[in-house]
């Protein structure tokens, strides 16, 4: 789902977004590691956006979170993935 920096869902028209329809988590087009923790972060951002819409203040912009992803792949072996690069 295409969203803007406020998580508002795109309409069929270019550069136009629904005011009160939001998407978060893995289904968004945001380029970042898809983790449940980040979906919770997205939800908090949407709450801030809704408060800004209600109060008429400037909408907060989301900044993509770039985090390393670590995976255990065996006894004493792990993999680190960051920015598309892997280290064992």
């Amino acid at each position: 789902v295409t969203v803007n920096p406020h998580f508002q869902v795109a309409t069929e028209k270019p550069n136009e977004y629904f005011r009160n329809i939001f998407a978060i988590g893995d289904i968004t087009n945001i380029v970042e590691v898809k983790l449940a923790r980040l979906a919770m972060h997205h939800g908090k951002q949407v709450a801030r956006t809704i408060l800004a819409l209600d109060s008429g203040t400037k909408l907060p912009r989301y900044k993509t979170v770039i985090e390393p992803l670590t995976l255990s792949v065996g006894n004493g072996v792990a993999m680190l993935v960051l920015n598309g690069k892997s280290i064992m």
Side-chain angles (χ1 to χ4, degrees):
V1 174
T2 301
V3 297
N4 66 12
H6 317 294
F7 293 94
Q8 293 166 309
V9 173
T11 69
E12 293 181 1
K13 297 178 182 176
N15 299 317
E16 187 176 296
Y17 299 86
F18 292 103
R19 176 179 166 84
N20 296 318
I21 301 175
F22 303 92
I24 63 170
D26 293 1
I27 66 167
T28 67
N29 64 319
I30 296 172
V31 179
E32 63 187 357
V33 177
K34 304 298 185 181
L35 299 170
R37 191 180 72 70
L38 289 180
M40 291 175 20
H41 186 64
H42 294 176
K44 291 176 184 178
Q45 182 71 20
V46 168
R48 287 190 286 272
T49 297
I50 292 169
L51 289 173
L53 286 168
D54 284 346
S55 67
T57 59
K58 184 177 178 182
L59 299 182
R61 293 181 64 86
Y62 179 72
K63 293 183 182 178
T64 302
V65 177
I66 305 295
E67 292 188 338
L69 176 62
T70 55
L71 306 164
S72 175
V73 292
N75 189 14
V77 181
M79 175 186 277
L80 171 70
V81 180
L82 180 60
N83 295 331
K85 297 179 182 171
S86 302
I87 301 171
M88 288 289 280

